[in-house]
Amino acid sequence: MINIVIAFPKQEEADGIKAILMRHGYNVVAAYTSGSAAVHALDGMDDGILICGYRLSDMIYMQLRDYMPSSFEMLLITSRIIDDISVGSGIICLPLPLKGNSLINTVEMLSETIYQRRKKRKKQPLKRNEDEKKLIEDAKKVLMEKNNMTEPEAHRYIQKTSMDTGSTLSATAEMVIGILLR
């Protein structure tokens, strides 16, 4: 589910957008009137959508964009004509007066973008630190010595056990070392 945070200068505007989105099944985390409160809420999330107005009580949308994590998409809702928004800036603009269908369609499009990014991120192999690599190598050596396995067999054993238990390779390697070196 995609997290949505709303930031508008007037609470009733934010609540109105929140109501529309929630009626359509979206997870609106909160609605704020200040950019700093919205940024604080975003800090605990991996990704999502920030829906905001042009000017908040403490900053304008560009300052808010600078402070928010890069994994978030921004949907700017404004009556102003903004010429300096470029493609790839991570900002999508909707004009006021806001139409409910336009809002829902745009949020759906941004949600799909985030889902695709998540999917792509999951396909990338995990980057292990040196300690984890050493732990896995040590577990393979123990399996090779104690169970007369070859290096590929030991690696496959750790890999399969990891998948079967739903744990990481390093956690499985630690378990193997703990059991075989008692």
Side-chain angles (χ1 to χ4, degrees):
M1 176 148 291
I2 300 294
N3 294 314
I4 299 174
V5 174
I6 300 171
F8 270 84
K10 295 181 182 173
Q11 189 65 45
E12 50 279 356
E13 293 172 340
D15 291 340
I17 291 173
K18 179 179 179 179
I20 293 169
L21 292 170
M22 291 183 78
R23 271 196 310 265
H24 285 85
Y26 287 100
N27 179 37
V28 179
V29 175
Y32 301 102
T33 57
S34 73
S36 57
V39 169
H40 182 70
L42 300 179
D43 282 341
M45 298 179 220
D46 292 332
D47 56 23
I49 301 170
L50 173 65
I51 301 174
C52 68
Y54 182 85
R55 182 177 305 278
L56 302 168
S57 62
D58 56 350
M59 62 181 76
I60 64 169
Y61 77 98
M62 283 305 291
Q63 293 167 314
L64 185 56
R65 178 67 189 138
D66 291 342
Y67 290 123
M68 71 185 229
S70 61
S71 58
F72 274 79
E73 299 291 330
M74 178 182 272
L75 174 56
L76 174 65
I77 299 175
T78 182
S79 59
R80 297 179 186 225
I81 296 173
I82 302 172
D83 295 328
D84 61 344
I85 294 181
S86 61
V87 175
S89 67
I91 301 173
I92 304 294
C93 207
L94 279 179
L96 285 173
L98 184 63
K99 293 182 175 65
N101 285 343
S102 296
L103 175 64
I104 296 302
N105 290 339
T106 305
V107 168
E108 183 62 35
M109 177 192 68
L110 291 172
S111 296
E112 186 59 33
T113 300
I114 292 169
Y115 283 130
Q116 293 302 322
R117 198 179 313 137
R118 283 180 185 172
K119 198 173 177 182
K120 192 175 185 180
R121 195 170 47 228
K122 282 184 181 179
K123 286 184 180 179
Q124 294 176 344
L126 290 175
K127 291 181 175 67
R128 293 186 182 85
N129 63 34
E130 292 304 315
D131 292 339
E132 291 173 323
K133 288 178 185 177
K134 184 178 179 340
L135 189 62
I136 292 168
E137 287 303 316
D138 290 347
K140 285 195 270 187
K141 286 178 186 172
V142 168
L143 284 169
M144 290 163 54
E145 290 171 8
K146 299 279 184 179
N147 292 1
N148 295 326
M149 292 180 170
T150 64
E151 194 274 337
E153 289 172 336
H155 182 79
R156 177 70 184 129
Y157 176 82
I158 294 169
Q159 195 175 41
K160 183 169 180 355
T161 305
S162 170
M163 288 188 295
D164 290 346
T165 60
S167 59
T168 63
L169 279 180
S170 55
T172 303
E174 190 173 355
M175 178 190 67
V176 165
I177 290 170
I179 290 171
L180 294 179
L181 291 182
R182 280 189 198 172

